[in-house]
């Protein structure tokens, strides 16, 4: 179950690039590359991925996924996948992003953050999932 308790950490990531592509089944895919750090993860490298049909490309909310790799506090490497949702904040080039992560260490984490396209940042809070 997800715990709605206090955050167990935070993350601060900087956007390093955007890749737009067309999937094999004809969808629009937007990949936002990030690097930075978070609580327990002094190095985080990852991509926030949005996949939608051409007709849904103007939507202000939807599903998204994350693929990441990083270094833990003890120097070991870890990787993870996450699935979640995003919602645009008004008419701003920002969105709230909620993800549930499964890490290769067996850890499960929920993150709540803001992806800011103009500031080129993706910052938020981490919560342990019990």
């Amino acid at each position: 179950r997800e715990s709605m308790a206090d955050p167990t950490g935070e993350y601060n990531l900087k956007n390093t690039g955007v890749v737009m592509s067309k999937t094999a089944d004809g969808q629009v895919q937007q990949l936002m590359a990030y690097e930075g750090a978070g609580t327990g993860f002094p190095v985080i490298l990852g991509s926030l991925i949005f996949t939608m049909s051409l007709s849904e490309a103007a939507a202000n909310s939807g599903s998204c996924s994350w693929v990441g790799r990083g270094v833990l506090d003890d120097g070991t490497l870890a990787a993870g996948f996450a699935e979640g949702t995003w919602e645009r904040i008004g008419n701003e080039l920002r969105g709230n992003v909620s993800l549930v992560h499964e890490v290769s260490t067996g850890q499960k984490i929920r993150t709540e953050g803001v992806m800011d396209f103009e500031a080129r940042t993706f910052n938020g809070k981490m919560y342990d999932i019990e």
Side-chain angles (χ1 to χ4, degrees), residues 11-13 21 26 30 34 36 40-41 45 49-50 52-53 69 76-77 83-84 86 88 91-93 107 111:
Y11 61 93
N12 294 281
L13 308 176
S21 60
Q30 177 176 336
Y34 289 97
F41 299 88
L45 305 171
I49 304 160
F50 306 89
M52 68 217 83
S53 68
R69 192 150 191 237
T76 58
L77 296 172
E83 297 296 328
W86 69 276
R88 189 171 176 185
N91 274 337
E92 299 175 39
L93 290 179
Q107 197 177 5
T111 58

Side-chain angles (χ1 to χ4, degrees), residues 41-99:
F41 299 88
V43 177
I44 296 173
L45 305 171
S47 296
L48 193 57
I49 304 160
F50 306 89
T51 307
M52 68 217 83
S53 68
L54 196 56
S55 62
E56 293 172 329
N60 286 317
S61 64
S63 60
C64 57
S65 59
W66 169 266
V67 179
R69 192 150 191 237
V71 177
L72 304 177
D73 281 337
D74 67 4
T76 58
L77 296 172
F81 295 125
E83 297 296 328
T85 58
W86 69 276
E87 185 169 0
R88 189 171 176 185
I89 300 169
N91 274 337
E92 299 175 39
L93 290 179
R94 300 188 314 143
N96 289 311
V97 179
S98 177
L99 294 162

Side-chain angles (χ1 to χ4, degrees), residues 1 4-5 7 14 18 20 25 29 41 55 66 74 90 92 101 115 118-119 123:
R1 277 185 33 83
M4 294 303 277
K14 191 88 179 136
V18 180
M20 301 296 300
D25 60 354
Q29 190 165 74
F41 299 88
S55 62
W66 169 266
D74 67 4
E92 299 175 39
H101 302 256
M115 180 202 66
E118 283 185 307
N123 301 329

